[in-house]
Amino acid sequence: MRAPHAVPSGPQSKQDTLATLGAGLFTNGVWDMLSVIVPLYGVAVGLNAAEIGLIVAARSVLPAALSIHGGILMDELGTRRVLMWVAAASTALPLLFPLTGWFAVLALLQLLLGLASGLGMAASQTWCVQTSLGNTAMLARYSVATRIGTFIGPIMAGALWDYSGAWAAFACVAVCGAGAVLSTAYGVHGRTHHAMPSVMSVLLPRWAPHKEALLLALIPAVAFILVASILRNSSGAIQSSLFVVYLNGIGMSGTLIGTLVATAEVSGVAGSLLAAPMEKRLGAYRLVIACILVTLTCIAATPLIAHMLIVLIAACALRGVMQGMSQPLMYAILGSEISGNRHGASVGLRNAVVRLGSIITPAVMGLAAERFGIEASFYVIGAIFMVITVVMAVAFRGMRSR
């Protein structure tokens, strides 16, 4: 097992800072652009709500199964090397979507691109955690960069969908993936690693390091982050599936939907900048729980406020602020509680449970929409997750504030 990475200093650290910010911008941009255009493409080729929910959920299947393994590979091979591989895949795979309208093929593409883009985000997060050493202010800068990407990306994707069609929209995703490749190549931190193991030893998961990663969940702070991550990202899973479908169904254009998604993302910039000062006032743990409750309320209320555009925009903005505030706090807790040579595994473990939640939430919500109606599904899912959040708050009430 390697020793923790050292943080470079001087010009080298500045170069790495720019590289990690660029990687965060582009990898998160790919994910959110797909969140807009894949549901729209599903509607365009005639898929029903349940099929769209399953396709959206499909992109989280392999990240849920392989995020821990991906994190282990980052620790062993170097984060930048893994990031370069998955960023290259995120550049090529989006161009295959417009070639088919078959549910099975789209689900397969979502599986593969979900793995590449999901590990891309995890790798950029790990890279930033390694270079920041858990500093909330530094992680907030990374969070701001991701919000810029997820603000611009959905607007561009939605506008290209409206005015140029599927090919242009998916090509834009590929360009964003190429940006992640270039950003990764620009960095210098972690360039020297041990000799490359054999291909089979790299690709085949091994039980021993997986067991070590899973045992991290016994650390109270890590257990808190795992549960909180599922709850925090549930609103994103709703936004990526039936939020888009519902707004499209009441007559909103792809451009407007993309703008609403982007509003939530750009508002996260303000939340990220407020994270450090608010942490000093309330403590990281209490603040994370408060952010989750507000976020869930905003997304669950969508059917009630969708016909009042100003209120809907305000709800998206408030949700974005809370999401942006909680993100660097959660990374900072992980960064401070886990040793440097286990950052990849800890981020991989976190992303595994997040993607598991991203499989369950849209799939169950799609089935609930088929059974009870799309409006009722927002209330049902929102209520379930808010109850779980309250239970989590009670269970961890004795945890110290960071």
Side-chain angles (χ1 to χ4, degrees):
M1 186 177 293
R2 292 198 313 265
H5 290 296
V7 179
S9 59
Q12 184 176 0
S13 70
K14 293 180 180 179
Q15 183 171 340
D16 280 318
T17 296
L18 291 176
T20 54
L21 295 180
L25 184 153
F26 288 115
T27 56
N28 284 267
V30 166
W31 188 268
D32 273 49
M33 293 167 79
L34 292 169
S35 298
V36 173
I37 61 176
V38 169
L40 290 176
Y41 188 67
V43 172
V45 298
L47 302 182
N48 60 39
E51 289 173 327
I52 292 172
L54 290 172
I55 283 180
V56 171
R59 73 169 173 170
S60 296
V61 171
L62 292 181
L66 297 175
S67 282
I68 297 176
H69 182 52
I72 292 169
L73 292 181
M74 293 173 209
D75 290 332
E76 294 184 346
L77 302 178
T79 305
R80 285 182 62 248
R81 179 178 288 159
V82 175
L83 180 54
M84 183 67 76
W85 291 344
V86 296
S90 296
T91 304
L93 288 172
L95 299 176
L96 301 179
F97 275 78
L99 296 175
T100 181
W102 292 352
F103 171 77
V105 178
L106 291 174
L108 176 60
L109 288 175
Q110 277 283 82
L111 286 171
L112 298 175
L113 185 52
L115 178 62
S117 56
L119 289 183
M121 290 192 298
S124 70
Q125 292 165 11
T126 303
W127 196 10
C128 184
V129 168
Q130 288 170 340
T131 56
S132 69
L133 298 181
N135 181 276
T136 300
M138 290 293 294
L139 288 162
R141 295 174 63 189
Y142 169 84
S143 185
V144 168
T146 67
R147 298 294 169 178
I148 293 173
T150 53
F151 167 68
I152 297 174
I155 293 179
M156 292 179 60
L160 286 169
W161 176 271
D162 285 339
Y163 298 108
S164 301
W167 273 107
F170 282 104
C172 186
V173 179
V175 170
C176 197
V181 173
L182 294 176
S183 297
T184 306
Y186 181 70
V188 295
H189 181 63
R191 179 167 289 172
T192 302
H193 304 289
H194 290 301
M196 175 72 78
S198 68
V199 173
M200 291 305 295
S201 66
V202 170
L203 294 182
L204 292 179
R206 290 161 292 145
W207 169 241
H210 275 70
K211 180 181 178 181
E212 292 179 9
L214 292 171
L215 288 176
L216 294 175
L218 297 179
I219 301 172
V222 176
F224 173 84
I225 291 300
L226 295 180
V227 178
S229 295
I230 296 176
L231 296 169
R232 175 190 177 274
N233 286 274
S234 61
S235 64
I238 296 171
Q239 176 182 275
S240 301
S241 53
L242 293 194
F243 179 82
V244 174
V245 173
Y246 177 76
L247 296 183
N248 181 257
I250 63 174
M252 289 192 182
S253 67
T255 301
L256 181 55
I257 295 171
T259 301
L260 288 171
V261 172
T263 298
E265 297 301 332
V266 75
S267 299
V269 172
S272 297
L273 296 175
L274 290 170
M278 289 299 293
E279 179 189 15
K280 294 177 181 178
R281 291 172 176 262
L282 298 178
Y285 296 99
R286 288 192 295 272
L287 188 54
V288 166
I289 290 169
C291 289
I292 292 171
L293 288 172
V294 174
T295 298
L296 289 170
T297 301
C298 290
I299 194 74
T302 296
L304 294 175
I305 61 178
H307 296 281
M308 299 177 285
L309 184 58
I310 297 300
V311 179
L312 181 60
I313 292 172
C316 288
L318 178 58
R319 177 161 55 89
V321 170
M322 295 297 104
Q323 291 283 78
M325 192 180 300
S326 60
Q327 185 181 51
L329 293 172
M330 297 172 76
Y331 294 160
I333 292 171
L334 276 183
S336 63
E337 297 289 341
I338 303 299
S339 61
N341 63 336
R342 302 306 295 157
H343 281 152
S346 65
V347 172
L349 180 61
R350 174 187 175 273
N351 280 281
V353 299
V354 167
R355 298 312 162 207
L356 180 61
S358 296
I359 296 169
I360 296 172
T361 301
V364 172
M365 193 171 179
L367 295 174
E370 288 293 305
R371 177 67 176 85
F372 302 109
I374 192 169
E375 292 188 7
S377 67
F378 281 87
Y379 309 140
V380 171
I381 295 297
I384 291 173
F385 281 119
M386 280 189 273
V387 169
I388 296 173
T389 303
V390 172
V391 172
M392 179 188 72
V394 173
F396 289 94
R397 65 186 181 278
M399 184 168 287
R400 66 178 176 84
S401 293
R402 181 179 175 273

